């Protein structure tokens, strides 16, 4: 390590030698930086998982344009949309097909614990609006009270889920009816429910008698090949006379949902603050270590000053220390952070995992906050007056 | 200032503090140090010895009077010029001030690397050679914590002399040493000074050192009251 740093800096790696001289303090400093990294990783992991969980249900469907109520900030939020606008939209020559999408949560009494399934009511005659995995089983939903169940739903055993097939369906009570799951798909627990379920729109209306077939939660449209979604949306906005409706591309709707979850929902803001606090903790820890180190070596620094070493030399030492702390503290932080996220993911079924982009961004952030701490700590160097040595 | 003169101070006055608390520490000090000379500066505590040393060593700004060091006027000199001049000096302090996490050789290397552009191998070679001259060739990889007081001070001497400075400024270098170590360190300074033409200005209370001096200056209450030529 010494030789590597010596080759890198072109001088004795005094920062490294200083840090590694007191091994107990060095280990404590690395543990501090690693702790800050773990904090950031966990908060970022939760934030990312919220993003992944938000976007996941959008993957169950395929559409080009989505029409939602004005207050529908998220897929499962907001009011209904009148089906008449679907018919109106179909009048556009570039709209190939359209369907209504119903969404609501149903409870499932699992004995020890109730779980909540976000349930989508879809038209089983329109598999083109569903992902390939789900579309293959959509015919099963023609049967009244049939369902396709999320095999990754929180609280549903792996073996129990694996056993669900048309020849060995799983029946359960919900909303006063017996629903029978004939097939499964890969979903996973989110922040708004423990998993997902797909039923036909007719089954959905049976489960929720208060809902009307004329008022789905969203309208999904597919466009003819070659059609420009922006141009179609512009025409639809003139065609549909309710100006309060949100008419967006399906992708834009997903992005809006994600932005809403991250910036408007308390959970997103809390996790965002968590990341900020992690960074601040790291900043304080590195600053404390460096500034104590500078204070402990003031006489040596003053000696170097007397010998003719200039400010750049001292800045170099402190930055070297900051980099060593940042880089070496990152490695255990990454390992522990990955372990915690994996464990949390297994327990919650949330899509919690260490991603390369997270690792890279936290690493860069660690180097930056270490350098900032180092820059602040160098202010103490001014106290090293060589005249005081005599 | 002739070419043989390393330091020439004329009419040097210095004050500490400001306002009513302002106190004059030096009064019209005049002194000259010739190349290769070994000068001892004596005097009671508070007489201004250290102030003279720090002014000549470019560690304080000259307020009044003139100090010419290696043909550079220090009164009004820019900080960068003072830093550059300090690189041509060797400092030995009462405390060895070695860096605790650097080995003896690495501490001495710092005296070479301050000049920049010196390859590591060469700096290390010079450091090991200097440590050999002070009798520590078998201690080059030792950390200061594993050296005796006398050995540490010898490392400090090697650090001060490794780059062949024009002037060595030493402040009570033997204060913390036993009789034998003190004699060894002073002899070493004297011997290496003679061999390399280095000028030495040494502040001390230690009478054991006086018989090694070419010249003894006595400072009292900020004034040079006695100059004794011994050479």
């Amino acid at each position: 390590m010494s030789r590597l740093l010596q080759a890198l800096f072109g001088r004795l790696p005094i920062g490294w030698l200083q840090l590694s001289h007191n091994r107990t303090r060095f280990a404590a400093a690395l543990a501090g930086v690693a702790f800050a990294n773990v904090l950031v990783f966990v908060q970022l992991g939760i934030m990312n998982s919220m993003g992944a969980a938000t976007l996941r249900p959008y993957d169950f469907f395929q559409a080009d344009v989505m029409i939602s109520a004005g207050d529908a900030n998220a897929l499962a939020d907001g009011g209904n949309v009148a089906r008449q606008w679907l018919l109106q939209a179909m009048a556009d020559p570039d709209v190939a097909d359209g369907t209504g999408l119903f969404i609501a949560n149903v409870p499932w009494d699992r004995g020890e614990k109730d779980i909540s399934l976000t349930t989508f009511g879809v038209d089983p005659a329109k598999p083109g609006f569903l992902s390939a995995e789900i579309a293959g089983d959509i015919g099963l939903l023609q049967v009244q009270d049939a369902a396709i169940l999320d095999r990754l739903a929180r609280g549903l055993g792996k073996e129990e889920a694996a056993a669900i097939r048309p020849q060995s369906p799983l029946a359960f009570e919900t909303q006063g009816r017996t629903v029978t799951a004939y097939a499964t798909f890969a979903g996973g627990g989110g922040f708004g429910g423990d998993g997902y379920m797909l039923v036909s729109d007719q089954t959905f209306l049976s489960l929720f008698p208060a809902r009307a077939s004329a008022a789905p939660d969203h309208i999904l449209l597919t466009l003819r090949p070659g059609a420009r979604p922006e141009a179609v949306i512009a025409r639809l906005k003139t065609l549909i006379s309710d100006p309060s409706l949100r008419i967006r591309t399906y992708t834009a709707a997903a992005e809006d949902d994600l932005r809403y979850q991250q910036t408007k929902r308390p959970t997103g803001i809390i996790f965002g603050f968590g990341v900020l606090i992690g960074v601040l903790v790291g900043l304080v820890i590195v600053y404390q270590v460096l500034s104590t180190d500078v204070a402990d070596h003031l006489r040596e620094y003053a000696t170097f000053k007397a010998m003719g070493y200039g400010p750049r030399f001292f800045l170099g030492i402190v930055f070297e220390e900051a980099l060593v702390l940042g880089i070496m503290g990152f490695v255990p932080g990454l390992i522990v952070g990955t372990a915690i996220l994996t464990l949390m993911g297994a327990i919650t079924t949330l899509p919690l995992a260490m991603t390369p982009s997270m690792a890279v961004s936290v690493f860069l952030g660690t180097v930056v906050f270490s350098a900032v701490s180092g820059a602040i700590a160098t202010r103490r160097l001014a106290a090293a007056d060589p005249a005081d040595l005599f | 200032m002739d070419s043989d003169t390393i330091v020439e101070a004329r009419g040097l006055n210095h004050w500490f503090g400001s306002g009513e608390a302002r106190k004059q520490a030096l009064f019209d000090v005049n002194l000259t140090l010739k190349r290769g000379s070994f000068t001892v500066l004596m005097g009671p505590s508070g007489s201004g010895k250290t102030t003279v040393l720090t002014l000549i060593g470019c560690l304080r700004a000259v307020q009044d009077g003139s100090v010419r060091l290696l043909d550079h006027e220090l009164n009004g000199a820019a900080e960068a010029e003072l830093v550059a001049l300090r690189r041509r000096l060797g400092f030995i302090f009462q405390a060895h001030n070695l860096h605790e996490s650097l080995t003896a050789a690495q501490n001495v290397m710092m005296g070479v690397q301050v000049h920049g552009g010196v390859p590591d191998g060469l700096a290390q070679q010079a450091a090991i050679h200097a440590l050999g001259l002070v009798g520590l060739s078998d201690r080059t990889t030792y950390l200061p914590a594993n050296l005796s007081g006398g050995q540490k001070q010898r490392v400090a001497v090697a650090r001060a002399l490794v780059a062949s400075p024009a002037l060595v400024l030493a402040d009570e270098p033997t204060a913390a040493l036993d009789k034998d170590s003190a004699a060894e360190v002073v002899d070493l300074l004297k011997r290496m000074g003679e061999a390399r033409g280095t000028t030495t200005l040494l502040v001390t209370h230690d009478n054991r050192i006086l018989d090694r001096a070419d010249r003894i200056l006595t400072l009292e209450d900020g004034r040079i009251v006695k100059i004794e030529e011994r050479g």
Side-chain angles (χ1 to χ4, degrees):
Chain A
M1 185 71 175
S2 242
R3 283 183 185 169
L4 174 75
L5 290 171
Q6 190 157 351
L8 192 68
F9 293 107
R11 58 162 171 76
L12 282 174
I14 294 169
W16 159 251
L17 293 169
Q18 237 165 239
L19 283 173
S20 55
H21 183 68
N22 188 336
R23 290 187 182 174
T24 310
R25 188 197 284 178
F26 186 38
L30 290 182
V33 176
F35 172 71
N37 272 318
V38 169
L39 268 183
V40 174
F41 274 133
V42 170
Q43 299 295 332
L44 266 184
I46 296 172
M47 249 179 93
N48 284 355
S49 82
M50 193 178 71
T54 299
L55 295 177
R56 186 156 50 194
Y58 286 90
D59 292 337
F60 304 157
F61 308 100
Q62 295 188 66
D64 297 309
V65 174
M66 187 161 99
I67 301 174
S68 315
D71 59 352
N73 295 309
L75 197 62
D77 271 6
N80 307 322
V81 185
R83 184 178 282 276
Q84 71 181 85
W85 303 126
L86 168 61
L87 303 174
Q88 193 82 57
M90 294 292 289
D92 188 281
D94 278 338
V95 174
D97 201 359
T99 189
L101 177 65
F102 296 86
I103 308 171
N105 275 32
V106 298
W108 179 7
D109 182 0
R110 299 276 299 161
E112 286 181 6
K113 185 179 175 260
D114 276 5
I115 65 171
S116 171
L117 296 173
T118 302
T119 303
F120 297 103
V122 296
D123 183 348
K126 294 194 169 176
F129 286 95
L130 298 165
S131 70
E133 184 193 11
I134 300 170
D137 291 324
I138 193 70
L140 299 167
L141 298 186
Q142 301 280 4
V143 178
Q144 182 65 26
D145 294 335
I148 303 175
L149 197 59
D150 177 0
R151 61 174 166 269
L152 301 178
R154 213 175 283 140
L156 183 66
K158 270 187 184 175
E159 288 178 7
E160 190 182 11
I164 299 173
R165 292 191 187 91
Q167 57 273 32
S168 58
L170 173 72
F172 60 94
E173 296 289 322
T174 183
Q175 300 285 96
R177 296 181 74 88
T178 303
V179 173
T180 309
Y182 290 98
T184 63
F185 67 102
F191 286 84
D194 298 305
Y196 299 94
M197 180 167 76
L198 262 85
V199 296
S200 70
D201 43 8
Q202 293 310 310
T203 301
F204 184 92
L205 294 170
S206 305
L207 291 170
F208 298 95
R211 296 291 301 271
S213 65
D217 290 275
H218 303 279
I219 291 169
L220 303 180
L221 303 175
T222 53
L223 305 184
R224 294 188 196 287
R228 285 179 50 239
E230 293 77 18
V232 176
I233 287 168
R235 286 201 301 274
L236 290 178
K237 281 181 177 171
T238 58
L239 206 61
I240 294 171
S241 58
D242 182 352
S244 72
L245 292 181
R246 303 177 79 176
I247 307 174
R248 301 164 286 178
T249 63
Y250 189 64
T251 315
E255 286 166 0
D256 286 348
D257 192 345
L258 181 62
R259 200 173 307 117
Y260 173 72
Q261 301 292 346
Q262 287 179 338
T263 60
K264 297 283 194 289
R265 277 269 170 92
T267 41
I269 296 167
I270 287 166
F271 297 141
F273 267 107
V275 173
L276 186 68
I277 287 167
V279 170
L280 287 177
V281 167
L283 204 79
V284 169
I285 288 171
V286 176
Y287 169 74
Q288 193 55 42
V289 172
L290 293 180
S291 98
T292 308
D293 192 71
V294 169
D296 285 352
H297 292 94
L298 273 185
R299 282 193 77 80
E300 286 95 331
Y301 287 141
T303 307
F304 290 148
K305 268 190 185 178
M307 289 164 69
Y309 282 97
R312 278 178 62 189
F313 170 76
F314 300 107
L315 281 176
I317 293 177
V318 178
F319 277 117
E320 178 192 331
E321 290 188 329
L323 281 180
V324 166
L325 285 174
I327 293 168
M328 293 188 72
F330 172 78
V331 177
L334 178 68
I335 294 167
V336 176
T338 305
I340 290 177
L341 287 176
T342 308
L343 184 69
M344 284 171 67
I347 294 169
T348 62
T349 75
L350 284 168
L352 281 158
M354 181 66 68
T355 62
S357 65
M358 254 168 76
V360 170
S361 58
V362 171
F363 173 71
L364 293 177
T366 305
V367 171
V368 169
F369 80 59
S370 299
V372 170
S373 302
I376 301 169
T378 54
R379 292 174 60 193
R380 295 195 76 162
L381 280 171
D385 184 357
D388 292 341
L389 291 171
F390 287 105
Chain B
M1 186 171 173
D2 62 54
S3 62
D4 224 24
T5 302
I6 297 294
V7 177
E8 187 172 50
R10 290 285 168 259
L12 186 60
N13 294 294
H14 198 81
W15 292 264
F16 286 107
S18 59
E20 287 186 8
R22 194 167 194 234
K23 189 173 181 300
Q24 188 160 3
L26 295 180
F27 296 85
D28 193 28
V29 168
N30 297 288
L31 68 86
T32 303
L33 299 179
K34 293 289 185 188
R35 189 180 304 280
S37 62
F38 190 96
T39 305
V40 168
L41 186 58
M42 293 191 73
S45 292
S47 59
K49 306 185 296 293
T50 300
T51 308
V52 170
L53 215 60
T54 53
L55 287 168
I56 292 173
C58 310
L59 300 174
R60 289 190 200 284
V62 175
Q63 296 168 343
D64 184 50
S66 163
V67 176
R68 285 194 73 78
L69 169 69
L70 302 168
D71 277 334
H72 290 262
E73 175 56 54
L74 301 189
N75 193 346
E79 179 60 25
E81 188 181 359
L82 295 177
V83 170
L85 276 170
R86 287 208 294 266
R87 291 187 189 136
R88 298 172 65 186
L89 310 180
F91 291 93
I92 304 170
F93 308 98
Q94 186 171 338
H96 52 81
N97 290 344
L98 298 179
H99 204 291
E100 61 172 6
S101 53
L102 303 185
T103 63
Q106 287 171 331
N107 266 292
V108 178
M109 277 173 76
M110 295 306 295
V112 183
Q113 289 194 330
V114 70
H115 296 284
V118 183
D120 283 344
L122 206 62
Q124 195 169 7
Q125 220 176 334
I128 289 170
H129 178 69
L131 283 170
L133 290 175
V134 298
L136 291 175
S137 47
D138 58 341
R139 297 285 190 275
T140 56
T141 57
Y142 280 46
L143 290 172
N146 301 324
L147 296 171
S148 70
Q151 287 171 332
K152 285 177 197 167
Q153 199 58 298
R154 280 192 276 160
V155 174
V157 171
R159 181 178 61 186
L161 296 175
V162 68
S164 298
L167 172 67
V168 171
L169 298 169
D171 184 37
E172 303 273 12
T174 58
L177 304 181
D178 60 44
K179 187 182 164 192
D180 292 341
S181 298
E184 210 173 310
V185 166
V186 174
D187 282 343
L188 189 70
L189 270 173
K190 174 98 174 148
R191 202 169 61 243
M192 291 183 74
E194 283 167 357
R196 299 184 180 198
T198 304
T199 306
T200 302
L201 176 62
L202 187 147
V203 166
T204 188
H205 285 99
D206 191 346
N207 290 328
R208 297 170 298 181
I209 294 173
L210 300 184
D211 57 350
R212 268 89 165 175
D214 301 326
R215 196 159 58 134
I216 301 168
L217 305 176
T218 306
L219 204 63
E220 277 181 19
D221 297 328
R223 293 177 175 85
I224 292 181
V225 294
K226 190 174 165 191
I227 300 175
E228 190 182 344
E229 300 289 345
R230 306 283 292 262

